[in-house]
Amino acid sequence: MKQSSGIAKNSLMLMAMNIAKMLFPLLTLPYLTRVLSTDCYGSVVYVKSVTTYLQLLVDFGFVLSATKSIVQAREDRARQERIMGDVLLARLWLAGAALVLLVILTAALPILRERPLLSLLSFFPVFLTLFLFDFLFRGLEKMEAIALRFVVMRGVATALTFVLIHSDRDVLLIPLLDTLGTLIAALMVLPQLRRLGLHVRLSHDRRAAWSMLKDSAVYFASNVASTSFSALNTLLLGIILTTQEVAYWGVCIQAVAAVQALYTPITDSLYPVMVREHRFSRIVKAVRLFLPLVLAGCAAAYFLADFGIVLMGGQAYAPAARIFRYLIPVLFFSFFALLFGWPTLGAIDCNAETSRSTVYALSFQVLGLLALLWTGCYSLVAVALLRSATEVVLCGIRMLYIRKNIHAFADRGGSAE
């Protein structure tokens, strides 16, 4: 009962964090799409898709690998402090590489080249995430610490968006406000660490940071592949289609991401528990509990698409509702793809299988994109259909891997209690 209570509490805390991360931007979306031109908003969407990849490079899967290490070192405070220091050092190396990559991309990609300062300023909040130590609080199952600072962070940035951004001329304030919010979140970490009695310490052997990078590489590959399902599409759209179409796609993806933000607290809360228990019955319970809710949500998304998209983006974005409807299968299958991924396969050390499933699904999408380009059928509708098909493939592959490794669970895949 205590374990179930802990999962419920952590799920609620992570739900609050994800609401802060996704709904606050969703609140500013209708405002930004009205005060910015579609071309300017399309540029903002494109820059954010690039910084998504940079954030993944800087994170490098530590939110999973280092979380697991913290769980395993739960009774060893000195080891936890060394993990914090080694991860910070490794991420500093990665941040340097990410900055170099951003400079190269800004020179190479037309949309970034048109707004170089917007691109470079967008790197600041990415860099500041080094000091949030989310993996530590996840591993200690203190999700309220993460949730509190993200609510404050997004609340400040959201409020100032309405006050300070009024036209295309103010577009550079968008990354600056993100930087301010992330800086506040980073400063809030200091008293949280003091209360835990933890300090950042490096291992005596600097090769420990390199070892953590190698251990986290499999998680990084999976996360890059998973994020590429949407971010890669945005990057290609900006090269092949117009910034207006990028803006349409951005509104649709923002709506999809807002729904998916409701999924991740559940899977993130289950992950450390599954690492300890390896009980498949918990996954069965989650499926039984959330399947009706996911189905109802998908039905509501279909019938309310026109109203929702116009509410989010304004009348100028009404054509995007048709695109959004083709993405509704993503809403359904992504919940189960997330659930069957790290909380299920990753918890029983099937890290390679989890990553391979994502890479295989991404390969399916890349081949599909190449086929669309080769046949001249590349369009927003075609990309949306392909994105939905990719999520079905990902979910199916992970189900096959679970069936193959069902013996690795402590309850042998037994039914829920």
Side-chain angles (χ1 to χ4, degrees), residues 120-161:
L120 294 176
L121 289 176
S122 296
F123 180 74
F124 289 166
V126 172
F127 176 76
L128 289 172
T129 60
L130 269 66
F131 307 101
L132 297 181
F133 297 106
D134 280 357
F135 63 88
L136 171 70
F137 297 98
R138 289 174 186 268
L140 297 177
E141 296 183 52
K142 296 187 177 295
M143 310 304 184
E144 66 276 9
I146 303 174
L148 174 62
R149 63 174 181 254
F150 268 92
V151 168
V152 172
M153 174 180 75
R154 294 303 182 190
V156 169
T158 298
L160 291 177
T161 295

Side-chain angles (χ1 to χ4, degrees), residues 290-303 332:
F290 292 105
L291 176 59
L293 298 175
V294 173
L295 282 171
C298 290
Y302 181 87
F303 290 110
F332 179 80

Side-chain angles (χ1 to χ4, degrees), residues 396-417:
I397 293 173
R398 287 183 172 174
M399 289 175 68
L400 290 174
Y401 276 134
I402 290 172
R403 183 176 180 179
K404 181 179 179 181
N405 294 280
I406 199 70
H407 61 277
F409 294 96
D411 51 2
R412 304 287 177 180
S415 60
E417 298 170 358

Side-chain angles (χ1 to χ4, degrees), residues 172-300:
L172 294 180
L173 290 176
I174 294 176
L176 289 177
L177 294 179
D178 286 341
T179 299
L180 175 62
T182 311
L183 177 61
I184 292 172
L187 292 174
M188 290 176 68
V189 171
L190 296 176
Q192 291 171 343
L193 290 179
R194 278 199 296 268
R195 283 194 293 272
L196 292 171
L198 292 171
H199 302 84
V200 179
R201 303 185 190 279
L202 281 171
S203 297
H204 296 300
D205 189 349
R206 295 296 183 268
R207 288 178 297 182
W210 176 250
S211 177
M212 296 205 73
L213 274 174
K214 291 192 292 184
D215 292 341
S216 194
V218 63
Y219 299 94
F220 169 67
S222 177
N223 288 342
V224 167
S226 179
T227 302
S228 294
F229 294 150
S230 294
L232 178 61
N233 289 328
T234 304
L235 289 174
L236 284 177
L237 285 168
I239 296 172
I240 299 168
L241 302 179
T242 66
T243 51
Q244 184 182 63
E245 288 171 302
V246 172
Y248 290 163
W249 180 259
V251 169
C252 292
I253 291 301
Q254 186 73 61
V256 170
V259 175
Q260 290 175 324
L262 303 177
Y263 300 162
T264 51
I266 301 162
T267 56
D268 286 351
S269 294
L270 275 170
Y271 178 68
V273 176
M274 286 293 294
V275 168
R276 287 198 308 271
E277 298 182 357
H278 294 181
R279 292 181 62 83
F280 189 71
S281 58
R282 290 199 178 273
I283 302 301
V284 175
K285 285 181 180 179
V287 171
R288 290 178 178 175
L289 176 62
F290 292 105
L291 176 59
L293 298 175
V294 173
L295 282 171
C298 290

Side-chain angles (χ1 to χ4, degrees), residues 298-317:
C298 290
Y302 181 87
F303 290 110
L304 297 175
D306 292 295
F307 172 77
I309 293 296
V310 171
L311 180 66
M312 288 173 59
Q315 196 60 44
Y317 289 80

Side-chain angles (χ1 to χ4, degrees), residues 267-397:
T267 56
D268 286 351
S269 294
L270 275 170
Y271 178 68
V273 176
M274 286 293 294
V275 168
R276 287 198 308 271
E277 298 182 357
H278 294 181
R279 292 181 62 83
F280 189 71
S281 58
R282 290 199 178 273
I283 302 301
V284 175
K285 285 181 180 179
V287 171
R288 290 178 178 175
L289 176 62
F290 292 105
L291 176 59
L293 298 175
V294 173
L295 282 171
C298 290
Y302 181 87
F303 290 110
L304 297 175
D306 292 295
F307 172 77
I309 293 296
V310 171
L311 180 66
M312 288 173 59
Q315 196 60 44
Y317 289 80
R322 176 169 172 253
I323 307 302
F324 177 73
R325 283 195 173 95
Y326 289 114
L327 289 168
I328 287 177
V330 177
L331 301 180
F332 179 80
F333 287 99
S334 63
F335 175 78
F336 300 100
L338 285 169
L339 186 64
F340 298 152
W342 295 115
T344 306
L345 289 169
I348 56 172
D349 293 322
C350 289
N351 300 337
E353 287 84 348
T354 308
S355 296
R356 277 202 297 267
S357 67
T358 311
V359 172
Y360 291 158
L362 178 61
S363 300
F364 171 83
Q365 177 172 285
V366 170
L367 290 174
L369 290 171
L370 290 174
L372 292 176
L373 292 170
W374 181 264
T375 59
C377 297
Y378 192 92
S379 67
L380 282 179
V381 170
V383 171
L385 287 170
L386 178 62
R387 175 67 186 90
S388 292
T390 301
E391 202 68 35
V392 175
V393 170
L394 175 63
C395 188
I397 293 173

